[in-house]
């Protein structure tokens, strides 16, 4: 195992966690549709108990994603999470609201009433995917930061900080980029689409399933339009490349070249897109088909995985700097030491066992479809 192999390996692991996180945002997406899917109070509780069984998976994956980034690419972690902290704090705050809302909405002594907490879940369902999508878009559009590694060895420096944000917005300035917003909105509508597909599959209620078919069309169309618009922009824009010596430069059609050079990622991307469209289209056109979450979910993971790897592999700066081009982060200049990556590689061999446990737990939870009788249970949300 060479140092270069380990860098690519951990980039793949982080990208896979990011792809799984985007899929698991179906929890947020379904919560944003509580009022339109459930309609009645009993229907809303069905939707909330369906997503309530899975929200820990999303939150745990978000934390694991951040932890894997910290361990394998610490300079990114310190630059993004430390510099763009307002953006990440808002994201984490919405997830905290989600956890509190699930646990307290129907507790005795809740003087605020369940509707207040339901609106908290809706807020998390809209802002969470939107801001996470915007954060992912900065891998292609760039962020406003400066890296100065010499500060660590400069004895006269009063601020021995490697990286800093170049303005006082600390990440919120990314939302001023219309393409960041377009990608963020695409992720938000994707989460809503996946959420509707999941609830239709998980809840045994004809009223919710019939409403879901109608709502699905209203979320899938904006998602497809926004995603196609951003994809065309991405393939035609200049990208951030670097030489073997680590010099960053702008390359026309960089991401298009990446797909052409790494044809295997292009195949994965196309398969993923086809699966997402199949899951959506089959559910809309067939009354008896309620399993669209599985092809669409697998397709989402494959599509996002290919996009994230395209942003980093093939001599591409995965976290570009718009303030200072040479401060852009690459796999080479931002990763941990070879010893750290190698040690973590052996630890990561346990991941398949963890995934097997998650699959088993998921199957056990969803073995019986949720119905109206089950929400009368004292353990219901």
């Amino acid at each position: 195992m060479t140092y270069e192999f380990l860098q690519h390996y951990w980039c793949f692991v982080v990208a896979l966690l990011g792809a799984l996180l985007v899929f698991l945002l179906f929890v947020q997406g379904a919560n944003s549709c509580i009022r339109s899917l459930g309609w009645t109070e009993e229907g809303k509780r069905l939707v909330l108990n369906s997503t309530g069984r899975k929200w820990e998976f999303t939150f745990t994956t978000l934390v694991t994603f951040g932890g894997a980034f910290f361990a394998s690419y610490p300079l990114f972690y310190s630059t993004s999470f430390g510099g763009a902290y307002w953006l990440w704090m808002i994201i984490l705050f919405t997830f905290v609201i989600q956890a509190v809302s699930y646990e307290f909405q129907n507790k005795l002594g809740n003087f605020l009433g369940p509707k207040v907490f339901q609106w908290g879940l809706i807020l998390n369902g809209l802002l969470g995917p939107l801001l996470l999508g915007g954060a992912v878009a900065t891998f292609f559009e760039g962020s406003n930061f400066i890296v100065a590694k010499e500060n660590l060895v400069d004895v006269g420096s009063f601020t021995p900080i490697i990286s800093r944000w170049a303005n006082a917005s600390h990440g919120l300035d990314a939302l001023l980029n219309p393409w960041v917003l377009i990608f963020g909105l695409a992720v938000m509508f994707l989460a809503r689409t996946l959420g509707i597909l999941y609830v239709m599959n998980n809840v045994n209620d004809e009223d919710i399933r019939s409403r879901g078919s109608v709502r699905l069309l209203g979320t899938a169309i904006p998602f497809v339009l926004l995603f196609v618009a951003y994809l065309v922009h991405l393939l035609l824009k200049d990208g951030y490349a670097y030489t073997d010596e680590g010099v960053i430069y702008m390359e026309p059609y960089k991401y298009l070249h990446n797909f052409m050079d790494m044809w295997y990622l292009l195949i994965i991307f196309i398969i993923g897109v086809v699966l997402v469209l199949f899951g959506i289209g089959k559910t809309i056109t067939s009354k008896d088909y309620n399993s669209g979450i599985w092809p669409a979910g697998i397709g989402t993971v494959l599509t996002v995985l290919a996009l994230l790897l395209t942003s980093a592999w093939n001599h591409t700066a995965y976290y570009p700097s718009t303030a200072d081009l040479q401060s852009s982060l690459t796999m080479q200049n931002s990763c941990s030491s070879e010893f750290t990556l190698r040690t973590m590689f052996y630890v990561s061999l346990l991941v398949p066992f963890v995934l097997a446990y998650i699959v088993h737990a998921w199957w056990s939870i969803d073995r019986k479809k949720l119905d109206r009788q089950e929400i009368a249970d004292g353990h219901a949300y």
Side-chain angles (χ1 to χ4, degrees):
M1 292 183 295
T2 64
Y3 195 20
E4 184 180 1
F5 166 80
L6 290 169
Q7 291 168 347
H8 282 77
Y9 172 79
W10 278 103
C11 180
F12 172 81
V13 172
V14 171
L16 180 59
L17 287 171
L20 290 172
L21 175 60
V22 173
F23 160 63
L24 290 170
L25 288 177
F26 71 77
V27 173
Q28 279 64 38
N31 287 342
S32 69
C33 302
I34 293 173
R35 305 183 73 83
S36 58
L37 273 180
W39 193 251
T40 64
E41 289 303 317
E42 196 173 34
K44 292 173 187 175
R45 290 205 68 188
L46 278 171
V47 175
L48 288 175
N49 278 272
S50 176
T51 59
R53 298 172 166 188
K54 296 296 187 300
W55 74 267
E56 292 98 337
F57 288 101
T58 309
F59 194 85
T60 303
T61 305
L62 175 62
V63 174
T64 306
F65 172 73
F69 238 139
F70 169 73
S72 54
Y73 294 95
L75 187 53
F76 167 81
Y77 190 88
S78 66
T79 301
S80 181
F81 290 79
Y85 57 80
W86 281 122
L87 178 61
W88 288 109
M89 286 297 292
I90 293 173
I91 292 173
L92 292 176
F93 181 69
T94 64
F95 277 87
V96 171
I97 290 177
Q98 176 201 52
V100 172
S101 297
Y102 271 124
E103 297 301 327
F104 290 96
Q105 59 180 319
N106 289 309
K107 293 288 185 183
L108 292 176
N110 172 20
F111 64 92
L112 295 175
K115 287 188 177 180
V116 172
F117 290 105
Q118 287 179 9
W119 278 108
L121 290 172
I122 293 173
L123 179 68
N124 169 251
L126 294 173
L127 281 183
L130 173 65
L131 295 179
L132 279 173
V136 171
T138 60
F139 291 166
F140 302 101
E141 302 300 324
S143 294
N144 202 3
F145 64 90
I146 296 174
V147 175
K149 293 183 179 180
E150 62 273 10
N151 283 349
L152 285 182
V153 295
D154 184 4
V155 293
S157 175
F158 293 100
T159 57
I161 300 172
I162 295 179
S163 55
R164 62 180 176 83
W165 218 250
N167 57 46
S169 69
H170 294 289
L172 295 180
D173 54 308
L175 300 178
L176 298 177
N177 185 331
W179 289 111
V180 170
L181 283 177
I182 287 174
F183 192 82
L185 288 170
V187 172
M188 185 192 76
F189 279 107
L190 172 62
R192 287 169 67 90
T193 300
L194 293 175
I196 293 171
L197 289 172
Y198 176 77
V199 171
M200 290 178 65
N201 175 259
N202 184 245
V203 177
N204 185 20
D205 186 86
E206 192 57 39
D207 181 55
I208 287 179
R209 287 180 173 176
S210 61
R211 287 181 181 279
S213 297
V214 178
R215 301 298 183 272
L216 184 60
L217 191 63
T219 59
I221 291 177
F223 158 65
V224 172
L225 292 177
L226 290 166
F227 181 74
V228 170
Y230 188 81
L231 181 61
V232 172
H233 160 73
L234 179 66
L235 296 179
L236 297 180
K237 76 185 294 289
D238 294 347
Y240 298 81
Y242 64 93
T243 64
D244 292 334
E245 293 74 26
V247 179
I248 315 294
Y249 66 97
M250 301 301 297
E251 178 182 327
Y253 308 108
K254 173 58 178 172
Y255 302 105
L256 176 61
H257 292 163
N258 282 357
F259 272 125
M260 302 305 296
D261 294 339
M262 299 182 288
W263 52 268
Y264 43 90
L265 290 184
L266 178 60
I267 292 175
I268 293 174
F269 179 80
I270 293 174
I271 292 174
V273 170
V274 171
L275 285 174
V276 171
L277 295 178
F278 171 80
I280 296 172
K282 184 73 180 293
T283 304
I284 292 175
T285 57
S286 175
K287 275 189 175 182
D288 301 324
Y289 185 76
N290 295 313
S291 300
I293 181 61
W294 302 120
I298 295 172
T300 297
V301 172
L302 294 177
T303 303
V304 176
L305 176 63
L307 281 175
L308 291 178
L309 292 179
T310 302
S311 73
W313 284 1
N314 197 34
H315 279 69
T316 309
Y318 69 87
Y319 199 49
S321 171
T322 56
D324 174 30
L325 189 60
Q326 300 310 315
S327 291
S328 302
L329 302 186
T330 69
M331 288 194 301
Q332 280 71 25
N333 67 16
S334 64
C335 68
S336 296
S337 67
E338 182 176 0
F339 173 79
T340 301
L341 296 182
R342 187 181 299 273
T343 303
M344 292 195 304
F345 171 83
Y346 294 117
V347 176
S348 71
L349 296 179
L350 298 174
V351 170
F353 298 98
V354 178
L355 290 177
Y357 171 77
I358 292 174
V359 171
H360 174 72
W362 189 298
W363 176 80
S364 299
I365 294 172
D366 283 356
R367 183 168 47 183
K368 181 181 179 298
K369 301 297 183 184
L370 188 65
D371 54 29
R372 294 178 183 269
Q373 182 179 356
E374 191 170 344
I375 63 173
D377 192 320
H379 296 290
Y381 287 102

